[in-house]
Amino acid sequence: VDGMGDFKLWVGLLDGPNDFEIDAVDRIGNSNTTTYTIVLDTVPPLITVEEPLDGSWTWASTIGVAGGTDEEAYVTVNGVGAAEWSRSFYMTLSGAEGPFPIEVVAVDRAGNTASASIVVHIDQTPPTIDIATPPDGLVTSAPRVLVVGRVRDAGSVDLTVQGTPADRAAGSWHAYVDLVEGWNVITVIAEDAAGNRASRTFKVLLD
């Protein structure tokens, strides 16, 4: 302690709470004790993005981003404040068709920073269905017809022919359809991962 009553001492800290006790005694024996705690935090917050899922597909151009951190933090989503000293966050973003990157950054009270990045695919375009065979209006005596075609989309597609999943290979698809006597209306439906749907219908006459 100097002549002005000031003192300074460097001490090492451990991660977590560090408790200190300072005892002061003057020349005639009067004493006083002060206790306090310093918390050393060198661990960045843990970010959990609950929605949307990384790599997911949607047709909506407005996306809600929700999640949380394991401690109170200031959170930004794509550079915009989403939570201030909270353990949860929510932000609504607007995006255009195509891959839409989302970055969440969290800073805790000690200044530790963490980030999490995901990509959402915005797809507002229905799949394109091409039917190679048979031609619309085909007249046949065979009780079964092979339907062959291709489907095009930015992502994965579920495709059915008359309600039954078609066999897929390298972008093309095929399915066998049993016919009944007379005109048969055959429907092909494709739905992509974002929920966009497309359909094609044609007729085959069994005679």
Side-chain angles (χ1 to χ4, degrees):
V1 180
D2 63 21
M4 300 296 294
D6 297 325
F7 67 92
K8 179 170 63 176
L9 177 67
W10 291 97
V11 294
L13 300 177
L14 300 176
D15 208 37
N18 293 262
D19 298 323
F20 294 89
E21 179 180 296
I22 300 175
D23 298 310
V25 181
D26 63 16
R27 294 181 183 276
I28 62 174
N30 299 307
S31 64
N32 192 16
T33 300
T34 298
T35 60
Y36 65 98
T37 300
I38 297 176
V39 178
L40 175 63
D41 179 8
T42 61
V43 179
L46 176 64
I47 302 172
T48 301
V49 180
E50 298 171 353
E51 62 177 50
L53 297 178
D54 186 25
S56 61
W57 290 74
T58 180
W59 56 265
S61 57
T62 300
I63 300 172
V65 182
T69 55
D70 64 342
E71 59 179 311
E72 291 185 348
Y74 182 83
V75 179
T76 61
V77 179
N78 283 10
V80 180
E84 186 171 351
W85 310 125
S86 174
R87 290 176 178 264
S88 62
F89 61 86
Y90 182 84
M91 171 68 71
T92 300
L93 301 175
S94 296
E97 188 160 13
F100 184 61
I102 298 172
E103 182 181 37
V104 179
V105 177
V107 182
D108 65 17
R109 292 187 181 274
N112 301 301
T113 301
S115 63
S117 298
I118 64 172
V119 175
V120 176
H121 301 273
I122 300 176
D123 179 10
Q124 299 172 326
T125 304
T128 300
I129 302 172
D130 299 320
I131 299 174
T133 185
D136 188 21
L138 173 71
V139 179
T140 180
S141 60
R144 200 179 196 205
V145 65
L146 174 63
V147 183
V148 179
R150 296 183 67 86
V151 62
R152 290 170 290 165
D153 192 77
S156 62
V157 177
D158 292 327
L159 188 138
T160 61
V161 180
Q162 296 298 79
T164 301
D167 293 323
R168 304 281 299 279
S172 64
W173 54 268
H174 70 273
Y176 288 94
V177 177
D178 294 322
L179 304 176
V180 297
E181 190 70 23
W183 284 105
N184 293 260
V185 178
I186 299 175
T187 301
V188 180
I189 297 176
E191 182 172 347
D192 64 23
N196 302 300
R197 300 187 72 186
S199 65
R200 290 282 304 275
T201 61
F202 60 95
K203 293 181 180 181
V204 174
L205 177 63
L206 174 60
D207 185 2

